[in-house]
Amino acid sequence: MNFWAEIKELVGVVKEKDPSVKKCCFVAILINTPGIHAIAIHKFAHFLYKKERFFLARFISQISRFITGIEIHPGATIGRRFFIDHGMGVVIGETAQIGDDVMMYHQVTLGGTGKECGKRHPTVGNGVTIAAGAKILGAITIGDGAKIGANSVVLKNVPRNATVVGIPARVVRVNGNKYEPEFMI
């Protein structure tokens, strides 16, 4: 899929998922959505990063951060239809991998713990929703369809279709059903 087709697809996702833009036209959404700007610029920076033009890639990502308030390392891998709503304060680390159809709100961090080498950042599956202020740290995996609650701190793998909340995050639902772990006595 070419760059413009991906941007058009992303504008469609914003129109579908953001109730504040339901009556806006394509151009208005494109101009007024910083998440789209950050992703578009990231695509170019990521291209340069893969070509080992590291300084230029990082420089472009820092310009994007200044303009949008969203910091995406050019080494991060991002899937299709990734929607960052509001976006201010989002940080996505170098080895983070984000699947398709992921929805992320403001002040989310996909970061490292400072203890890992190599793969240091989370892998986020397809169809994941990450609420405002969540911190997902380390080389962990967030399963497809998972939901991360607002301000949660996630330090361990999250199963597919699970909902996690809290500090540290704990599973409260799986497949939409309340999750009650068995207690050992």
Side-chain angles (χ1 to χ4, degrees):
M1 180 175 268
N2 72 35
F3 176 78
W4 293 113
E6 287 184 52
I7 296 302
K8 185 176 179 181
E9 181 178 57
L10 189 52
V11 168
V13 169
V14 172
K15 189 163 188 148
E16 173 190 328
K17 293 187 175 186
D18 187 346
S20 72
V21 301
K22 293 289 185 204
K23 296 180 182 178
C24 293
C25 68
F26 177 88
V27 173
I29 294 169
L30 185 61
I31 290 171
N32 294 313
T33 308
I36 293 175
H37 307 153
I39 292 166
I41 295 168
H42 170 74
K43 288 184 179 299
F44 181 58
H46 186 68
F47 170 80
L48 293 170
Y49 188 84
K50 289 189 340 188
K51 298 286 186 188
E52 297 185 1
R53 304 294 302 264
F54 301 122
F55 173 79
L56 188 55
R58 288 283 290 162
F59 182 70
I60 289 168
S61 74
Q62 290 303 305
I63 291 170
S64 176
R65 176 182 178 219
F66 178 76
I67 293 168
T68 65
I70 299 167
E71 181 176 346
I72 306 173
H73 191 285
T77 304
I78 296 176
R80 292 179 53 199
R81 297 176 300 277
F82 173 47
F83 176 33
I84 304 172
D85 196 8
H86 301 292
M88 185 59 75
V90 165
V91 177
I92 300 172
E94 178 183 21
T95 62
Q97 297 172 295
I98 300 171
D100 297 335
D101 303 305
V102 172
M103 175 98 173
M104 179 184 287
Y105 291 88
H106 55 285
Q107 296 181 334
V108 167
T109 299
L110 300 182
T113 64
K115 299 175 184 175
E116 298 102 348
C117 295
K119 173 77 168 130
R120 305 180 310 281
H121 302 97
T123 298
V124 177
N126 298 323
V128 172
T129 300
I130 306 171
K135 309 300 177 223
I136 304 172
L137 305 174
I140 61 175
T141 300
I142 308 302
D144 293 347
K147 293 179 175 74
I148 310 299
N151 294 313
S152 295
V153 177
V154 184
L155 302 171
K156 296 181 180 176
N157 292 339
V158 174
R160 110 185 246 121
N161 298 316
T163 300
V164 298
V165 299
I167 303 172
R170 66 189 186 292
V171 176
V172 294
R173 292 191 179 278
V174 176
N175 294 318
N177 299 315
K178 189 174 181 180
Y179 176 76
E180 296 184 30
E182 296 178 19
F183 291 97
M184 307 267 303
I185 300 179

